[in-house]
Amino acid sequence: MTETAVGNQTAQSKSQKAYEAVKARIVEGTYTPGYRLVLAKIAEDLGFSVVPVREAIRRLEAEGLVKFERNIGATVSGIDPTEYLYTMQTLSIVEGAATALSAPLIDPATIARARAVNAEMRECLEHFDPVRFTALNQDFHSVLFEHCPNPHILDLVHRGWNRLASLRSSTFRFVPGRAQESVREHEALLQLIESGADADTIEKAARQHRAATLDAYLAKAKH
């Protein structure tokens, strides 16, 4: 490998690390909506130059997690209630479809993996940690839709999750009562897949599960 190739690979590696670090801070709520992302300060914290940080910020902007404002620079995006509504509605449809298409390809080992994640979520309810619970929730659903044979639908699901990234740490904090219901619905969904239920039944259950979280969030937002 040439020195140039090694240099490019190192730059890409630093850009990836910067991307993961900044995204994690947004998801965890360390960088809250409206937080100003000062490239030089982030670069100093990470021990990098500004270049990989700038590339990371551009990726996050493309995902909708960061926006650029005149005379301010890069700031963490917030999701307004309308944007949240549209994203959750879309995700309920595409994730429901992805889960239904995955179902025939899910073997007993995959079911066991999903059930183990759901068990961790159940344990998390005792001393509720909304950030951990939300991360586990994504892990659970990823297990169920990752076998989707349609790459276009899968891409739409990932885009939806990316849009929600800045709200992941706050959704279950905002409606903690929804967490317990979510765990029960997960088990019901697993039982449908295990029993070989038809695609329409599985899709409807997955869609309603997502819609119920949206309904709980919107009901709380009204008060």
Side-chain angles (χ1 to χ4, degrees):
M1 188 180 287
T2 66
E3 286 186 20
T4 302
V6 171
N8 288 339
Q9 193 173 48
T10 302
Q12 287 173 355
S13 174
K14 286 183 177 180
S15 175
Q16 180 65 23
K17 286 179 181 177
Y19 164 80
E20 290 171 357
V22 176
K23 184 170 183 176
R25 291 174 187 180
I26 293 173
V27 170
E28 291 163 3
T30 304
Y31 294 164
T32 55
Y35 182 89
R36 187 168 172 237
L37 298 166
V38 181
L39 271 60
K41 176 69 169 65
I42 295 171
E44 184 182 346
D45 289 346
L46 297 176
F48 295 158
S49 70
V50 172
V51 175
V53 175
R54 184 181 292 116
E55 290 173 358
I57 296 298
R58 282 178 184 150
R59 281 181 65 184
L60 292 165
E61 183 191 15
E63 291 179 7
L65 296 180
V66 169
K67 63 181 178 179
F68 280 90
E69 297 183 57
R70 183 182 291 180
N71 301 324
I72 294 177
T75 60
V76 176
S77 300
I79 296 184
D80 63 40
T82 304
E83 178 68 15
Y84 180 75
L85 169 65
Y86 292 158
T87 302
M88 286 289 279
Q89 284 177 336
T90 303
L91 196 51
S92 71
I93 294 167
V94 295
E95 191 175 80
T99 302
L101 288 169
S102 291
L105 305 172
I106 294 176
D107 58 19
T110 305
I111 290 283
R113 189 153 56 100
R115 194 161 268 140
V117 175
N118 204 39
E120 286 188 66
M121 295 178 75
R122 193 175 290 109
E123 289 173 12
C124 192
L125 293 172
E126 294 176 19
H127 302 285
F128 193 54
D129 177 351
V131 175
R132 175 165 164 70
F133 187 89
T134 304
L136 288 169
N137 185 55
Q138 184 181 6
D139 290 344
F140 175 85
H141 286 287
S142 294
V143 173
L144 297 192
F145 64 63
E146 68 185 6
H147 294 288
C148 177
N150 185 320
H152 297 286
I153 291 177
L154 204 51
D155 179 59
L156 290 171
V157 174
H158 288 305
R159 285 172 186 249
W161 275 100
N162 283 335
R163 284 198 192 94
L164 290 178
S166 62
L167 281 180
R168 283 182 197 161
S169 64
S170 62
T171 304
F172 285 106
R173 182 182 289 128
F174 194 60
V175 282
R178 173 68 192 136
Q180 200 159 9
E181 295 169 8
S182 186
V183 170
R184 284 198 297 267
E185 290 166 14
H186 284 174
E187 177 56 33
L189 190 54
L190 288 175
Q191 288 178 13
L192 282 177
I193 295 170
E194 269 184 319
S195 67
D198 62 86
D200 286 345
T201 301
I202 292 170
E203 181 172 353
K204 185 178 179 181
R207 191 171 67 244
Q208 288 180 337
H209 168 67
R210 172 68 58 191
T213 299
L214 171 60
D215 291 343
Y217 187 91
L218 293 176
K220 186 72 178 286
K222 288 179 181 178
H223 298 291

